[in-house]
Amino acid sequence: MGADIKDFLHYQNPEEVRLQIRQGHEIFNRLEKFPKPGIAAIHGAWMGGGLEFALACHYRLATNHPKTVFALPEVKLGLLPGLGGTQRLPRKVGLQTALDMILTGKNVYAKQTKKMNLVEATTHVYGLLEAAKAAAKGLISGAIKAAKRKIALKDRLLEQSPASKLVYDQAEKMVMQQSGGHYPAPLKIIDCIRTGLNEGMPSGLATEAKHFSELVFSPESKALIHLFFAQNAAKKNPARDKIKAVQHVGVLGAGLMGSGIAQVSAQAGYHVMLKDQNLEYALKGKGAIYKDVSKRIGKGLSSFERDEMMERVVAGSSYSPFKAVDLTIEAVLEVLDLKQKVLQEVEAEAPQGHIFASNTSSIPIKHIAEASQQPESVLGMHYFSPVPKMPLLEIITTEKTADWALATAFDVGSKQGKTVIVVGDRPGFYVNRILAPYMDEALVLLNEGGKIEDLDKAIRMFGFPVGPMKLLDEVGLDVGAHVTKVMSPLFAERDITLQKVDEKLIEGGLKGRKSGKGFYLYDGKSKTSPINEGIYEHFGGKNRKEIPFSEIQERMVMRMLNEAAFTLEEGVIKSPSDGDIGAVFGIGFPPFLGGPFFYMDQMGLGHVVERLEAFGAQHGKRFVVAPLLKNYVAEGRSFYPKS
């Protein structure tokens, strides 16, 4: 229930949107004031306008089923609730709870709803209709009434006195810290709620309509809506009619990646064989799954469902159970010989038509497939860490990969809850391919005398969730060095030499967070990590200089944008939309910019080429413009239709 986002894209100006929102307000106001009781009988997901409708009713009755969930997720599209949600929710659940729900767009599950006064009662799913009828009779007779929120003294002081300013100030401070000021919607949400509670609901609704209509035309909302539709488009399986049934999934390697892949597979309903070199390691991986899944109890998952899911995960050290496995995903070390070895071992046991997928992050799949007796059933399924949380999956195909293998892997990835993009088999695939020159430029800047903290802060200010030096520490400097080694020949084709991390540094134990020191120092206790000043001796010495943040941002991001254009030209990605999805969901490219291709369109491709050429004249071949960009500028084209 609620407005279709597509409808708002057809409006020409904010005033048209505002009038539409005001009409919605009128309808919900009439429902709220209707003399006969309106009861919302709720089962399943009540999101956005659906929840706003329920709030306008006189009584709310929800099933206690784990799948019953409430949310006002509009902020995720750069918008705000437009049908009275900013007004009715604070009055129903309290100021602080409402701010938390609306500013985050997070889900609230049935178990939490009665305690927070979001609903008046909960019932078993099969008794919902009868309970709703009984509630209607009770409301008519006066035997029951809509529950009034019991306001604790602390909340009363914060909400009903001048002290409420502290709540709003704290909310604004939190928004600025978390968003860097890049998203206008959260501040407008706070203003709507503050206006409504301070000046009355009519003023609050008028403010809600005004701010909603402004946000629809904001560049941030356009970028987020673009990503929303791109993500939906990515759900289309390229060969749906060729999907083969999968019931059993094998996972090789029970470490962080392997256990994560096993977890999302079991959550999707698959029976999982989690294998490692010995039973102890495999059981440790299964234990990690249990611990992580248990955190979701009461948040869309029951303890029974958790236990049922865990029964589908079998830990072991033998290949014999792989006789029944339909798809195997390997997550072993990034060593080609090892990956080829486990491929051959699996094929010796697996049935005909079995699919083998590698979770490699950089090794070309065609090299792994050289060891296969059935190269048509070999592909890549590149997940991102931590697997249960990261939404992206890259599926990599070779020239020999069969359509049915791709279609089946795509279907499995979708059921695992991943947004899937299909990419070509070039070193680094797509995500790591565009990340490589971006990280390379960070190391160039570091060697030029840039400060670790400046590089990280500049990129966070641009909108990335983490800076390049901190990211390298998290990934591991040894892993980064390996990826650079794999990627270097590709860039050498364009006469570009990637920066290398000094091997002495890695040999000395400076591998990042996992070793306690890298670009930062980690003690495992403190939330803050001081700069490792000693690492500068490997990057030009201790004398550092000030490099403008704007230069750091532009040099790093321009190289990423340029590389994205190269990948489209080479056919690594099939569309700009896939490129935007991959960058945002894979490496945290700022969502409010819509992804590399959407962002380049907004800047103007002519401007992008101009800046790359200027940097090229100053810094050399690593900024040579992708021919595709020059061609698009010459032809007056853009990556997306001009609105």
Side-chain angles (χ1 to χ4, degrees), residues 215-236:
L215 288 171
V216 167
F217 290 89
S218 69
E220 295 83 5
S221 181
K222 288 181 178 180
L224 293 169
I225 290 172
H226 156 72
L227 288 173
F228 173 76
F229 287 122
Q231 188 177 17
N232 283 342
K235 294 176 182 177
K236 186 177 180 181

Side-chain angles (χ1 to χ4, degrees), residues 379-491:
L379 44 72
M381 294 179 74
H382 179 212
Y383 297 82
F384 295 81
S385 182
V387 178
K389 293 182 179 179
M390 292 297 284
L392 186 71
L393 170 63
E394 285 183 313
I395 292 183
I396 306 100
T397 59
T398 72
E399 293 180 355
K400 295 181 180 180
T401 303
D403 288 347
W404 61 265
L406 167 59
T408 304
F410 193 108
D411 186 57
V412 170
S414 296
K415 288 176 179 175
Q416 290 171 335
K418 303 303 178 186
T419 296
V420 181
I421 61 172
V422 180
V423 301
D425 189 26
R426 295 275 279 165
F429 315 128
Y430 173 69
V431 172
N432 283 340
R433 167 75 178 275
I434 66 170
L435 185 63
Y438 163 91
M439 295 297 289
D440 182 63
E441 196 62 27
L443 292 176
V444 172
L445 286 158
L446 191 64
N447 278 313
E448 288 178 0
K451 300 175 183 177
I452 292 169
E453 62 269 35
D454 286 355
L455 296 176
D456 279 351
K457 186 175 181 180
I459 291 303
R460 289 198 310 272
M461 288 176 64
F462 185 81
F464 281 86
V466 64
M469 303 295 97
K470 179 68 77 170
L471 177 60
L472 199 49
D473 267 3
E474 295 294 333
V475 170
L477 274 68
D478 54 335
V479 175
H482 174 76
V483 172
T484 299
K485 183 178 180 180
V486 173
M487 301 288 290
S488 288
L490 175 72
F491 286 90

Side-chain angles (χ1 to χ4, degrees), residues 247-252 271-275 279 314-328 345-346 348-351 354:
Q247 292 183 322
H248 296 85
V249 172
V251 179
L252 302 180
H271 294 277
V272 180
M273 177 61 206
L274 178 60
K275 180 193 177 301
L279 184 58
V314 177
S317 58
S318 169
Y319 280 109
S320 57
F322 283 70
K323 288 181 172 65
V325 165
D326 306 298
L327 166 69
T328 295
E345 290 171 344
V346 169
E349 297 288 345
H354 164 273

Side-chain angles (χ1 to χ4, degrees), residues 29-39 56 58 136 139-141:
N29 287 343
R30 286 172 60 193
L31 172 62
E32 189 174 46
K33 295 174 183 176
F34 198 67
K36 295 182 180 179
I39 297 171
H58 304 110
L139 286 170
I140 292 170
S141 68

Side-chain angles (χ1 to χ4, degrees), residues 602-615:
Q602 302 312 301
M603 283 195 293
L605 300 190
H607 174 74
V608 174
V609 169
E610 180 183 306
R611 295 305 299 144
L612 284 168
E613 289 178 337
F615 281 129

Side-chain angles (χ1 to χ4, degrees), residues 47-58:
M47 307 284 192
L51 176 53
E52 290 178 291
F53 170 82
L55 289 168
C57 291
H58 304 110

